[in-house]
Amino acid sequence: MALENENGGNDENENESTGGFEYQIPSEKDNELVGFVNDHCERWRNYRDTNYLALWEEYERIFRGQWSSQDKMRDSERSRIVTPAAQQAVETRHAEIMEAIFGQGEFFDIDDDVRDINNNPLDVELIKTQLMEDFKIDKIRKAIDQIELMAEIYGTGVGEITVVTDKMFVPATEPIPGQMTQAAIGVREKNRVGVKIVPVNPKNFLFDPNGTSIDDCMGVAVEKYISIHKIVKGQEEGIYRKVALGTDSEDTKLEPTQEITQYQDDKVRLLTYYGLVPREMLSKSGDNKDIVDLFPEDSVQDEYSDMVEAIVVIANESVLLKAEESPYMMKDRPVIAYQDDTVPNRLLGRGTIEKAYNMQKAIDAQVRTHLDSLALTTSPMIALDATRLPRGAKFEVKPGKAFLTNGPPNEIMQPFKFGTTDSGNLETANAFQTMLLQATGTLDSQNMVSQTNRDGAGLSMAVATIIKKYKRTLVNFQEDFLIPFIYKAAYRYMQFDPERYPSVDLKFLPTATLGIIAREYEQQQFIGLLQTLGPDTPVLPLILKGILGNSSLSNRNELIAKLDEMAQPNPEAQKMQETQQQLALQAAQAQIAVNATQAEQNRAEAQKLLVEAQLMPEEVKAKALASVTKNLPNAEDANSREFDKRVKIAELMLKEADIKNKSKIVELQMTKARDSAAGVETEFLTKLSEALK
């Protein structure tokens, strides 16, 4: 049976039969499309290799600690050591960025203002949970880890998004027909749509040099070697065209790493192009009748007019395996790239090793010079008189070795050495390492304390500077890579798995904060603030929540939820507290009334005492008059004189008693009034404060 060719026909003449299997013969448009893509990719490849490839390979050797003859500082250099300064800088920055992205568990969130067509709020939490579960199954975190590491080495992180359909086997139990109590135990097969991101080495990435981003380029391409069995499987499943295909493994530049020898068998060079191609090269016979040429046929404008977004897969630079318009509903390119450190108006960025390159070469040169010097100053060397040695003597220096000489040995042999090794080489290398840390913005735990002030001010400034540099890289990663990837992944799930992912407009937000250095620094600030304010501060729950949020505890979320629960008032406890406050207020009011009544009683007693004090002189006068009229003599003159005398004495006594009584009454009234007022006021304030509490 003839296979359907690219132009839609079933003409058996357009197929070549080989051993009972019919291969599809490429059409003229297929050859034109292959030539168009290869021509552009070849020019892009030359630009990339000329400007970046040699440096990228050296960056890789520096990171892996591999020596190459190309890295020699001088012709006489013998040492092959590669110091780990740049390796430490890369691993420090890589670990800090990964901790900032995934350290808190969830690395993205969905804005909760999404509504479906029925104006019902969408359960964004369910979509978020489902997306996180799929990301774990597809090992997205591991892939992003590799991409970020390559960004630190080469300066640019590149990832290719692929949609796969995996077969999954899950345990299942099914009842046996006709058997009420028995069931069959086995597995059930089901298909699962997965979205994966494949790390792409920049050595395998081609791009339009005129563009400054993936979408700005005319096209991008990923070329690499893959096993031939994957191509054959794709042909069997209908993903690729059934065309004649061989193996090709000549270009070692496409290998992922530099090895002594590369495996050469069963490999196919595969180039996947994502970008614009002329529409007429994709259309089948008869489909281009309505295409109107706006430019002359042989002009440059005509070649780049009426372009369409397409996916083109070419094997071994000549065989077209796939060519179709972009099948994705958003018409976006499934390739993402970001700059580790920003280089304006350029697609490729600057990595950690590029920033450390000069100091790394200086450190290597200084240490290698030191080691070469040790070879001359530590190894034993002896000058010999060759004319006085025995014929055929083999001179070797070893313990217990016996030397035969024709004469006194002290005249024939003389040990010597080339001076001593200068210890300043290592000190200079340490100075270069400090410059490397400054260039890369990494933290050296050993030298950090010695380079900052002991009072902590210098340390705070140093840590703040490092945090700001890490934050720049984190912003680039979030805006140019992480959020675009989540959007592209969500759109593909909506398109190819609509049962689990409804097609709605989602808004994703990055939740990555800062790395472990920044979090530890903020923890110290929170603890210092808590020590300053004390445990009774009203902002204590906020401080504790900040400390828990920055921690790495496994039950961090549970503790934060419990803290939020404690911060929220209990309705029953709040009602009971209000009742207690009302009772306390009523008790205070009653006590105030009692105090007022007591004050009135004290005032009445004071008035009674005042009246009694006013009547007391009259009573004293009466008693004085009574005492005057008693026991008088019989004679009238004597009586008269004695009476007058006693009257005067009585008047003086009355005046004196009256003055004393008035002063006592005034003092008594003032004392009672002052004590009563002070007591009432004090007791009232005490009761009122207790009621308010």
Side-chain angles (χ1 to χ4, degrees):
M1 179 179 178
L3 297 176
E4 183 178 355
N5 58 36
E6 177 64 16
N7 295 326
N10 292 327
D11 188 2
E12 297 184 3
N13 295 328
E14 296 184 4
N15 297 279
E16 179 181 356
S17 178
T18 304
F21 185 83
E22 297 179 351
Y23 290 115
Q24 182 176 344
I25 299 177
S27 64
E28 182 179 355
K29 287 187 177 181
D30 294 341
N31 295 330
E32 291 180 359
L33 181 60
V34 171
F36 177 85
V37 173
N38 281 336
D39 178 62
H40 286 81
C41 288
E42 181 64 25
R43 285 180 283 171
W44 299 347
R45 187 183 299 109
N46 292 335
Y47 169 82
R48 182 203 63 187
D49 294 349
T50 303
N51 293 278
Y52 303 105
L53 184 60
L55 289 174
W56 284 347
E57 291 179 346
E58 187 173 3
Y59 295 163
E60 179 188 346
R61 291 193 297 270
I62 290 174
F63 174 71
R64 299 183 63 188
Q66 294 180 337
W67 180 87
S68 174
S69 59
Q70 306 172 21
D71 303 332
K72 296 176 65 174
M73 299 290 103
R74 62 185 189 279
D75 294 337
S76 61
E77 186 176 87
R78 300 180 60 190
S79 176
R80 299 185 177 186
I81 188 172
V82 179
T83 57
Q87 302 175 30
Q88 177 189 0
V90 169
E91 293 172 354
T92 300
R93 286 183 58 86
H94 174 61
E96 185 68 13
I97 296 300
M98 294 305 298
E99 178 67 21
I101 299 169
F102 300 106
Q104 300 294 324
E106 298 179 353
F107 55 93
F108 72 92
D109 200 355
I110 303 178
D111 195 0
D112 199 4
D113 60 352
V114 184
R115 295 183 179 274
D116 58 12
I117 57 177
N118 297 324
N119 293 328
N120 295 324
L122 181 68
D123 191 359
V124 296
E125 197 65 31
L126 179 60
I127 296 180
K128 175 183 174 182
T129 303
Q130 185 67 54
L131 201 57
M132 290 293 296
E133 181 181 348
D134 288 331
F135 283 167
K136 289 181 180 179
I137 295 175
D138 295 325
K139 300 180 180 180
I140 298 300
R141 176 171 180 172
K142 182 178 180 180
I144 291 179
D145 183 278
Q146 298 179 22
I147 293 172
E148 209 287 323
L149 180 59
M150 286 191 290
E152 297 293 340
I153 299 173
Y154 303 106
T156 308
V158 185
E160 181 184 10
I161 301 175
T162 59
V163 181
V164 297
T165 302
D166 297 329
K167 291 184 179 181
M168 299 182 62
F169 297 92
V170 295
T173 302
E174 294 183 358
I176 299 177
Q179 301 290 335
M180 300 298 296
T181 59
Q182 295 182 356
I185 300 175
V187 294
R188 181 179 300 167
E189 179 181 342
K190 66 176 183 179
N191 294 329
R192 172 189 170 273
V193 176
V195 178
K196 299 183 178 181
I197 182 167
V198 181
V200 177
N201 194 304
K203 296 187 297 183
N204 304 119
F205 180 61
L206 301 176
F207 60 94
D208 180 10
N210 295 321
T212 58
S213 65
I214 296 295
D215 296 331
D216 189 37
C217 296
M218 190 191 82
V220 295
V222 178
E223 57 175 353
K224 57 186 176 180
Y225 285 121
I226 65 173
S227 178
I228 191 173
H229 81 275
K230 295 182 180 180
I231 303 296
V232 175
K233 181 180 179 181
Q235 290 178 332
E236 293 174 348
E237 295 177 353
I239 300 175
Y240 299 135
R241 299 180 181 181
K242 294 181 175 62
V243 293
L245 184 66
T247 59
D248 180 23
S249 56
E250 297 178 355
D251 191 357
T252 58
K253 298 177 182 178
L254 298 180
E255 300 296 342
T257 58
Q258 302 176 58
E259 307 292 345
I260 299 176
T261 59
Q262 300 288 352
Y263 188 72
Q264 302 292 324
D265 300 335
D266 300 332
K267 297 167 70 173
V268 176
R269 180 169 182 166
L270 191 71
L271 185 143
T272 306
Y273 174 84
Y274 305 99
L276 299 174
V277 297
R279 185 186 301 272
E280 61 180 5
M281 294 184 181
L282 289 179
S283 60
K284 300 179 181 180
S285 299
D287 293 345
N288 56 351
K289 294 180 180 180
D290 297 333
I291 298 177
V292 180
D293 293 334
L294 301 177
F295 303 96
E297 184 176 355
D298 296 334
S299 64
V300 178
Q301 293 93 331
D302 181 63
E303 183 179 1
Y304 294 98
S305 64
D306 193 18
M307 307 283 279
V308 62
E309 190 73 24
I311 299 177
V312 180
V313 182
I314 301 174
N316 298 332
E317 299 183 321
S318 59
V319 181
L320 183 64
L321 293 178
K322 182 178 181 180
E324 63 178 2
E325 291 190 23
S326 177
Y328 305 115
M329 65 180 185
M330 305 302 291
K331 301 301 178 182
D332 55 345
R333 294 175 180 173
V335 178
I336 311 175
Y338 81 99
Q339 296 180 341
D340 182 70
D341 194 9
T342 303
V343 178
N345 298 324
R346 199 178 78 176
L347 189 144
L348 301 180
R350 187 169 66 125
T352 301
I353 294 187
E354 182 178 349
K355 291 184 284 187
Y357 179 77
N358 290 328
M359 290 301 102
Q360 177 67 34
K361 300 293 285 186
I363 295 172
D364 288 345
Q366 200 71 33
V367 175
R368 290 173 185 174
T369 300
H370 182 75
L371 295 179
D372 289 346
S373 175
L374 288 176
L376 297 175
T377 59
T378 59
S379 300
M381 290 178 286
I382 299 180
L384 302 173
D385 184 359
T387 62
R388 303 176 67 178
L389 291 176
R391 186 181 298 274
K394 184 179 180 181
F395 184 81
E396 293 180 354
V397 177
K398 62 177 63 176
K401 176 70 173 180
F403 298 101
L404 301 177
T405 60
N406 296 324
N410 57 351
E411 296 179 0
I412 301 173
M413 296 183 296
Q414 180 181 357
F416 75 97
K417 61 180 180 179
F418 292 96
T420 58
T421 301
D422 186 7
S423 60
N425 290 330
L426 295 181
E427 297 178 0
T428 305
N430 290 332
F432 287 149
Q433 184 174 2
T434 302
M435 297 180 188
L436 185 144
L437 297 176
Q438 294 175 354
T440 57
T442 52
L443 182 65
D444 185 7
S445 58
Q446 296 180 354
N447 298 332
M448 180 184 63
V449 178
S450 61
Q451 295 174 1
T452 54
N453 299 330
R454 294 184 178 272
D455 58 358
L459 178 61
S460 300
M461 295 177 61
V463 174
T465 303
I466 293 171
I467 291 173
K468 288 186 290 185
K469 291 181 179 180
Y470 284 141
K471 200 168 185 178
R472 289 180 56 210
T473 303
L474 183 61
V475 170
N476 285 350
F477 179 83
Q478 289 179 342
E479 294 184 356
D480 297 339
F481 188 90
L482 182 62
I483 295 303
F485 163 70
I486 297 175
Y487 272 110
K488 292 176 185 291
Y491 292 151
R492 280 151 180 75
Y493 277 121
M494 294 175 189
Q495 180 178 359
F496 299 104
D497 196 359
E499 295 182 359
R500 294 192 302 155
Y501 292 91
S503 297
V504 292
D505 186 12
L506 299 176
K507 182 178 180 181
F508 295 98
L509 303 173
T511 59
T513 54
L514 292 176
I516 191 67
I517 296 177
R519 293 216 303 270
E520 290 296 334
Y521 182 59
E522 290 184 357
Q523 289 287 61
Q524 295 298 326
Q525 290 181 328
F526 275 125
I527 294 174
L529 185 62
L530 183 60
Q531 292 176 351
T532 302
L533 298 178
D536 297 331
T537 176
V539 296
L540 178 62
L542 296 178
I543 297 177
L544 293 179
K545 191 173 181 180
I547 293 175
L548 292 175
N550 283 334
S551 67
S552 301
L553 300 175
S554 58
N555 59 342
R556 179 183 65 251
N557 295 330
E558 298 178 4
L559 294 174
I560 293 177
K562 190 65 176 179
L563 190 61
D564 292 337
E565 182 180 350
M566 293 174 60
Q568 295 178 356
N570 189 358
E572 297 181 357
Q574 188 176 6
K575 185 176 181 181
M576 183 177 297
Q577 185 178 3
E578 292 177 355
T579 304
Q580 292 178 354
Q581 291 180 354
Q582 292 177 359
L583 293 176
L585 183 59
Q586 292 176 1
Q589 292 176 351
Q591 187 63 36
I592 291 172
V594 172
N595 293 336
T597 304
Q598 186 67 32
E600 292 293 335
Q601 182 179 358
N602 294 336
R603 194 177 299 109
E605 291 180 357
Q607 291 178 356
K608 178 181 177 183
L609 293 175
L610 181 60
V611 173
E612 290 179 354
Q614 292 176 353
L615 294 177
M616 187 177 294
E618 299 298 331
E619 183 179 358
V620 173
K621 289 180 180 180
K623 290 181 179 179
L625 291 175
S627 63
V628 169
T629 57
K630 292 180 180 179
N631 301 323
L632 292 175
N634 292 330
E636 293 182 1
D637 294 337
N639 290 340
S640 178
R641 289 193 298 272
E642 185 67 24
F643 180 77
D644 293 337
K645 181 179 179 181
R646 293 188 179 186
V647 169
K648 291 180 179 180
I649 294 172
E651 290 178 356
L652 293 174
M653 294 176 61
L654 288 174
K655 289 181 179 181
E656 183 179 1
D658 187 31
I659 293 173
K660 292 181 179 181
N661 289 332
K662 287 183 178 180
S663 62
K664 290 182 179 181
I665 291 172
V666 173
E667 184 178 358
L668 180 61
Q669 290 178 348
M670 293 178 65
T671 302
K672 287 187 176 182
R674 184 168 57 253
D675 295 343
S676 177
V680 171
E681 183 179 2
T682 303
E683 190 172 1
F684 171 73
L685 293 176
T686 303
K687 296 295 184 179
L688 184 60
S689 62
E690 292 178 355
L692 293 177
K693 289 181 179 179

